[in-house]
Amino acid sequence: MNPKIIFTLLILLAVVFETIADIYFKKWSIENKKYLIIVGMLLYTLGTAIWAYSLKYEFLSKAISIFTILNLIFIILTGIFFFKETLSMINIFGIILGVISIIFLSM
């Protein structure tokens, strides 16, 4: 399989695991149930391990940039859809710039 495709799949998988972990962390902060933070930590660790493995296929500087921006976008969308958070215009502008930066980094 093409290394670029493998890298992309690994990054997406890592972001999904870390986003789900963040949902558990947020629920823990609201409900204060111990199992929520434990599951969140396990998922976060798994996401980090997958991200680390993705470094076999890409430079660190590019991998961390893409991972961080995608993670930010996923977390913002999670906040909106799961926790009914709102975005300001500056937040929306930041997301647009993040998407543009991923496009440039992927070239």
Side-chain angles (χ1 to χ4, degrees), residues 38-97:
I38 292 169
V39 171
M41 285 184 200
L42 291 172
L43 290 170
Y44 200 82
T45 300
L46 182 58
T48 301
I50 293 168
W51 175 80
Y53 189 73
S54 77
L55 295 177
K56 290 180 71 170
Y57 302 96
E58 192 57 75
F59 294 116
L60 174 62
S61 58
K62 185 174 178 180
I64 191 63
S65 299
I66 291 172
F67 173 80
T68 302
I69 294 164
L70 281 176
N71 197 28
L72 176 68
I73 292 168
F74 274 52
I75 292 302
I76 290 169
L77 294 175
T78 298
I80 292 169
F81 292 113
F82 283 89
F83 300 106
K84 308 300 183 227
E85 297 174 356
T86 58
L87 293 178
S88 67
M89 286 305 293
I90 196 78
N91 297 136
I92 293 169
F93 183 67
I95 292 169
I96 292 168
L97 288 176

